Each structure stands twice: as structure tokens, then as C-alpha cells.
Amino acid sequence: MKLSEYAKSIGVSYKTAWRMWKRGDLKAEQLPSGTVIVKLDNPITKGVVIYARVSSSENKSNLDSQAERLESYCIAKGYQIIRIVKEVGSGVNDNRRKLIDLLNKSDYSLIVCEHKDRLSRVGFNYLKVLLNQTGRDIEVVNLAYDRTDDLMHDLVSIVTSFCARLYSIRRRSRQTECIIKCLEADESCN
């Protein structure tokens, strides 16, 4: 099977399949013409995982429509969908349980998401590089072409995240002060 056909069959780009061959992950040989032929003992049937995310539970209805759009996209491309992951959480949160579970699994070859920021607002390229190292890839359906708009969204989300953390720290500090006063008052009573 040609490398391009192989890439299509497992749902990755030709470039990813080429990297897999160069790393030695594929049993293949290159013909004198330059064509790479993959030798398959058992055809690999790894499919794709759809990842949809919204920031808050208020947008939960958007989560379902996002997943439906991605499912239609994958069907149109001929991808074999093995799982749909829907998550509610901040894009800058690096501790999203469902995304971490997904990244720990290796039964798929491609993650499909609607926008880069649906997967991660920060460090998207790191995720892509690390997944490529394991023979997997990320496909973004709607790439942002207006870089200024993309940067502005990133800046707003990062500032929002830091503000939320700052307010949380202040609240915890006030709670700690209250606990200390209560404990001191309790000791004076004894």
C-alpha cells in the first residue's frame, strides 16, 4: 500500500505518515522512483476521536452542536469515529480530566477539533509535536486566518484566567485570616 493511502486509511496526514516511516515506526520500503510502500501484516484500523469543549456550563447547548458539526465533518472525510469527547472547562486549564484521559490513550490516530483553542488556548503546538512523536496527530477544522484576532482571544483568555486565580487567592487568604481569628478566640475562651 502506498504511504499516502496508508495515511488516509488511518486518518493522518501524509506528512505524519512520512515522519512515522522516517522514525522506523512503519515496516516500509522506498522504491527507486521515490514511492514509499507500506507492508501491512494486519491493516491498522485506528480511527479518530472528536474533541469538543466549551468554557462554561452556560454554553452546554453549544457543546452538543459543536460535536455534531465535527461528526458531520468526519463522516464527510470518511474517517472512522471511535469516540466523541465533550468537556466543559477553561481552555487555559491544564488539568482537564477528559483531555488528560484522551491523551493517555493510544487507540486512535487523530484528534479532530473545531478550533485550536477548543483543544488548548496555550501550548497547542506542544501537544501537536508530542502526539506526532507517538504516531498521532491533531486536525483543526477551522484554522484562524486572522492572526491578530487569534492573539487577541488568547490574551483575553489568559488575563481572565489570571484574574480568576487572583480573586481565588484573595478569597482563600481572607478565609485563612478568619480561621486564625476563630482559633485565637477559641483559645482565649479556654
Side-chain angles (χ1 to χ4, degrees):
M1 170 186 292
K2 285 184 173 181
L3 186 62
S4 58
E5 294 168 355
Y6 172 78
K8 197 173 199 176
S9 73
I10 64 168
V12 299
S13 69
Y14 177 79
K15 193 172 185 178
T16 299
W18 177 265
R19 279 191 230 113
M20 291 167 63
W21 173 64
K22 282 297 201 183
R23 281 193 311 261
D25 295 344
L26 297 177
K27 194 170 20 168
E29 65 180 32
Q30 191 169 22
L31 301 177
S33 64
T35 304
V36 177
I37 303 296
V38 178
K39 298 177 181 179
L40 297 176
D41 299 329
N42 296 324
I44 296 176
T45 57
K46 286 186 177 182
V48 302
V49 173
I50 291 173
Y51 183 80
R53 181 191 63 80
V54 292
S55 298
S56 65
S57 55
E58 297 166 355
N59 300 327
K60 209 161 190 170
S61 62
N62 189 21
L63 184 64
D64 294 329
S65 59
Q66 186 182 143
E68 288 171 10
R69 286 190 303 270
L70 289 170
E71 188 173 8
S72 298
Y73 172 83
C74 289
I75 291 169
K77 296 263 306 202
Y79 293 157
Q80 177 191 358
I81 302 168
I82 58 170
R83 189 167 40 261
I84 297 175
V85 177
K86 298 178 188 176
E87 190 161 42
V88 176
S90 171
V92 291
N93 181 359
D94 64 348
N95 199 21
R96 283 180 276 143
R97 186 182 55 80
K98 290 183 180 181
L99 179 59
I100 290 171
D101 289 345
L102 173 62
L103 294 173
N104 280 324
K105 293 181 180 173
S106 61
D107 62 342
Y108 60 92
S109 59
L110 185 67
I111 297 174
V112 178
C113 59
E114 193 166 40
H115 299 280
K116 278 176 31 175
D117 67 351
R118 295 299 92 197
L119 194 61
S120 178
R121 290 217 182 252
V122 181
F124 175 85
N125 287 331
Y126 295 125
L127 284 175
K128 190 166 179 65
V129 167
L130 290 171
L131 284 171
N132 284 331
Q133 292 297 315
T134 61
R136 296 175 286 171
D137 203 2
I138 302 168
E139 184 171 327
V140 179
V141 176
N142 294 324
L143 291 170
Y145 294 109
D146 184 3
R147 301 303 301 162
T148 307
D149 186 45
D150 196 25
L151 288 172
M152 187 56 91
H153 284 294
D154 288 348
L155 179 63
V156 168
S157 64
I158 289 170
V159 169
T160 303
S161 173
F162 285 139
C163 287
R165 287 184 182 180
L166 181 62
Y167 294 142
S168 174
I169 290 169
R170 287 181 183 168
R171 186 175 62 247
R172 283 184 289 194
S173 137
R174 284 193 305 267
Q175 288 173 342
T176 304
E177 289 170 4
C178 182
I179 291 170
I180 291 170
K181 284 180 184 177
C182 289
L183 289 172
E184 288 173 349
D186 209 27
E187 285 181 13
S188 65
C189 293
N190 290 331

